[in-house]
Amino acid sequence: MLEQLLIHQPKDPIPFMIDHLQRDNDYVPKIIILGPPASGKTTIAMWLAKHLSTNLLSVESLIAKEYSPLAADARMHYQKFKMVPNMLLIRLMQERLKEEDCIRRGWILDGIPETREQALTIQTLGISPRHVIALSAPDTVLIERNLGKRIDPQTGEIYHTTFDWPPESEIQNRLMMPAGISEGETARKLLEYHRNIVRILPSYPKILKVINADQPCVDVFYQALTYVQTSHRSNAPFTPRVLLCGPVGSGKSLQAALLAQKYGLINVCCGQLLKEAVADKSKYGEMIQPFFEKETAVPDNIVMKVLKQRLDQQDCVERGWVLHGFPRDLDQAHVMDSLGYKPNRVFFLNVPLDSVIERLTLRRTDPVTGERYHLMYKPPPTMEVQARLLQNPKESEEQIKLKMDLFYRNSAELEQFYGEAITLNGDQDPYTVFEYIESGIINPLPKKVP
């Protein structure tokens, strides 16, 4: 929306923004495909248009438009001079792009712009693509490929006598050789293309992808499709609000600490907040104390008050936060959402029961030094230390199984509630897990296609 405000600079921005939001077209395709003759750009553009359910615009389709005085004028020029003047072509594009189907479903420009002047004029008028693809191949390959090109006059599909010959005899019989595909004519067009393309591409430095067209057409298509389905990273300010969900022993605390250390986020552990409230003897701490003494769950309304108090503090608002230990079920998630605490990144760490039992049941604490050990991964240095180690009663195998069962009983509803959550395998090296979480935070989320 900010991009469109800067481009159009409306006198009254409020109605403009309302209209922009009502269009709901921030994620529709806006693609330019460029390439030399015989590079396959028209085929790739047609396949992308079908796959993405968007509109394909080319010079031919623009001038063929019915009931348009501009298109009629362009046809006259094209019949006389075999080209359309720059400004006339741009006005045709403007007219077409303002139509409802282009606004709602986006567009692909096939071979437009043809010159740097067209590219600059298009940018000046606020026609801004999200992705630009330039196909590239050696001239010798293109000339050879062009000589075998055939076109279906009924569908406009492009075929080739060597690489892409239709199996149906009916289609074979009606294929025609396009005009202007001789070796000399192709060489002339290539020279003109190379002269123009080196001046066009610098206009799209951050959204351009060059794809080698000297490979099977299907491979080129999938590379193009993968590129146009990616979102470019925004430079807009972004405050991470990260939620880590996972069973006991899945490594949430470690991942939260790593994120807090690297990105300056506030590490908000719900259980730790409750303990601190009791230790500080705050008003909420006095309410929590009886539940701690009875070893029963603290009511959601009290937990939410403590959590709200922490998330409302200035450091959380400014720097962002990473929350773990809450919500544990769908009701808690609804309460948190209703109060406006909506994470913009949610991760579920999945770890099998056997791995969790191995992680937790072998934990020990030295009552003399307070040092924590793990009998497998961090064994005590001496037999004397090992003899005095103690196990937390809450980390017995029976307790762990109960907690795991409780988590997975509620996790399906939580994953459904947080529809864009990312599920990770937590049963691997913690720094590998951290890299996956990190990439999920710094990269934009893909928009789900229904």
Side-chain angles (χ1 to χ4, degrees):
M1 184 191 295
L2 179 60
E3 177 188 66
Q4 295 304 309
L5 280 170
L6 291 172
I7 289 171
H8 296 284
Q9 299 182 7
K11 292 182 180 178
D12 192 348
I14 301 301
F16 179 88
M17 288 189 286
I18 292 172
D19 179 61
H20 179 83
L21 290 171
Q22 287 174 340
R23 288 179 175 182
D24 188 29
N25 68 342
D26 281 337
Y27 296 95
V28 300
K30 295 182 179 179
I31 303 165
I32 288 176
I33 297 185
L34 303 172
S39 61
K41 67 179 182 300
T42 298
T43 300
I44 299 301
M46 289 173 66
W47 288 0
L48 284 175
K50 288 179 182 178
H51 190 90
L52 301 173
S53 299
T54 190
N55 299 284
L56 178 59
L57 280 62
S58 62
V59 174
E60 292 77 12
S61 68
L62 289 172
I63 66 176
K65 186 182 175 188
E66 297 179 348
Y67 314 115
S68 167
L70 283 175
D73 194 13
R75 283 195 296 272
M76 290 176 57
H77 274 277
Y78 193 78
Q79 288 166 3
K80 286 183 180 179
F81 308 107
K82 296 300 179 185
M83 55 85 66
V84 180
N86 282 348
M87 282 313 301
L88 184 53
L89 181 62
I90 301 301
R91 288 170 63 196
L92 268 174
M93 279 180 52
Q94 275 188 299
E95 180 183 71
R96 181 69 181 91
L97 295 178
K98 287 178 181 177
E99 294 182 7
E100 187 67 16
D101 61 339
C102 283
I103 292 171
R104 291 288 180 189
R105 297 193 290 117
W107 42 264
I108 297 175
L109 294 181
D110 173 16
I112 306 172
E114 299 173 324
T115 64
R116 176 168 172 79
E117 291 69 27
Q118 288 182 8
L120 294 177
T121 306
I122 287 171
Q123 288 181 328
T124 303
L125 295 173
I127 301 171
S128 53
R130 295 196 173 97
H131 302 89
V132 176
I133 294 171
L135 303 182
S136 175
D139 285 359
T140 51
V141 171
L142 297 172
I143 291 172
E144 180 184 353
R145 187 185 290 180
N146 213 28
L147 292 173
K149 185 185 293 185
R150 298 295 183 270
I151 188 167
D152 185 338
Q154 290 188 12
T155 65
E157 289 276 359
I158 305 295
Y159 295 95
H160 195 277
T161 54
T162 303
F163 307 116
D164 185 22
W165 192 245
E168 300 88 351
S169 58
E170 182 184 351
I171 298 177
Q172 293 176 11
N173 293 333
R174 68 173 182 246
L175 294 184
M176 299 176 61
M177 181 182 290
I181 65 168
S182 67
E183 186 171 343
E185 188 71 12
T186 303
R188 186 190 64 77
K189 290 179 180 178
L190 284 170
L191 184 63
E192 184 180 358
Y193 171 81
H194 291 312
R195 188 183 300 128
N196 286 315
I197 195 66
V198 293
R199 302 177 65 231
I200 294 173
L201 297 186
S203 302
Y204 306 106
K206 294 183 179 179
I207 57 173
L208 171 68
K209 181 175 181 63
V210 178
I211 297 177
N212 175 22
D214 187 15
Q215 55 182 320
C217 203
V218 173
D219 294 344
V220 177
F221 167 68
Y222 279 113
Q223 289 179 45
L225 180 64
T226 300
Y227 177 60
V228 300
Q229 288 180 327
T230 61
S231 299
H232 301 293
R233 189 174 301 172
S234 170
N235 291 324
F238 168 61
T239 303
R241 299 185 298 277
V242 183
L243 173 62
L244 299 179
C245 298
V248 57
S250 59
K252 302 185 297 294
S253 299
L254 174 59
Q255 298 303 326
L258 292 172
L259 287 171
Q261 180 182 24
K262 182 162 184 178
Y263 293 102
L265 308 181
I266 306 303
N267 186 350
V268 182
C269 172
C270 191
Q272 189 63 31
L273 285 180
L274 300 180
K275 292 176 184 177
E276 290 173 359
V278 171
D280 294 341
K281 298 182 179 179
S282 65
K283 63 175 182 178
Y284 294 133
E286 293 174 0
M287 297 167 67
I288 295 166
Q289 181 72 38
F291 298 99
F292 273 21
E293 291 172 352
K294 296 175 185 176
E295 295 188 353
T296 56
V298 180
D300 290 352
N301 63 324
I302 299 177
V303 175
M304 199 62 233
K305 287 177 182 176
V306 176
L307 187 60
K308 181 179 186 303
Q309 185 181 56
R310 183 67 188 94
L311 296 181
D312 284 344
Q313 290 182 22
Q314 193 69 20
D315 57 351
C316 280
V317 174
E318 288 181 354
R319 291 159 54 189
W321 41 261
V322 50
L323 171 64
H324 50 111
F326 192 93
R328 296 176 184 267
D329 58 42
L330 186 60
D331 290 339
Q332 293 178 350
H334 277 299
V335 171
M336 189 169 143
D337 189 77
S338 67
L339 293 174
Y341 302 104
K342 302 182 181 188
N344 48 28
R345 296 292 188 275
V346 181
F347 299 91
F348 281 84
L349 305 180
N350 278 344
V351 182
L353 175 62
D354 291 347
S355 297
V356 171
I357 288 175
E358 182 183 282
R359 288 183 183 186
L360 299 187
T361 58
L362 299 180
R363 283 179 181 174
R364 298 292 187 271
T365 304
D366 185 341
V368 176
T369 63
E371 184 74 23
R372 299 187 71 178
Y373 295 98
H374 191 281
L375 298 183
M376 183 176 291
Y377 303 121
K378 187 187 174 185
T382 66
M383 293 299 293
E384 180 187 354
V385 174
Q386 182 168 339
R388 66 177 184 241
L389 296 182
L390 300 175
Q391 182 183 23
N392 187 335
K394 294 182 179 179
E395 292 180 348
S396 67
E397 188 168 330
E398 294 74 18
Q399 289 290 320
I400 292 168
K401 286 180 178 178
L402 285 172
K403 290 178 181 177
M404 288 279 287
D405 182 60
L406 181 62
F407 171 79
Y408 283 113
R409 202 182 304 158
N410 294 311
S411 64
E413 290 182 331
L414 276 177
E415 286 188 51
Q416 190 173 3
F417 182 78
Y418 295 112
E420 293 186 327
I422 298 172
T423 301
L424 301 173
N425 173 20
D427 189 22
Q428 51 187 328
D429 179 80
Y431 291 97
T432 302
V433 176
F434 177 70
E435 287 177 4
Y436 282 117
I437 292 176
E438 187 177 28
S439 66
I441 290 173
I442 64 176
N443 291 327
L445 285 175
K447 183 172 176 66
K448 289 200 170 184
V449 179

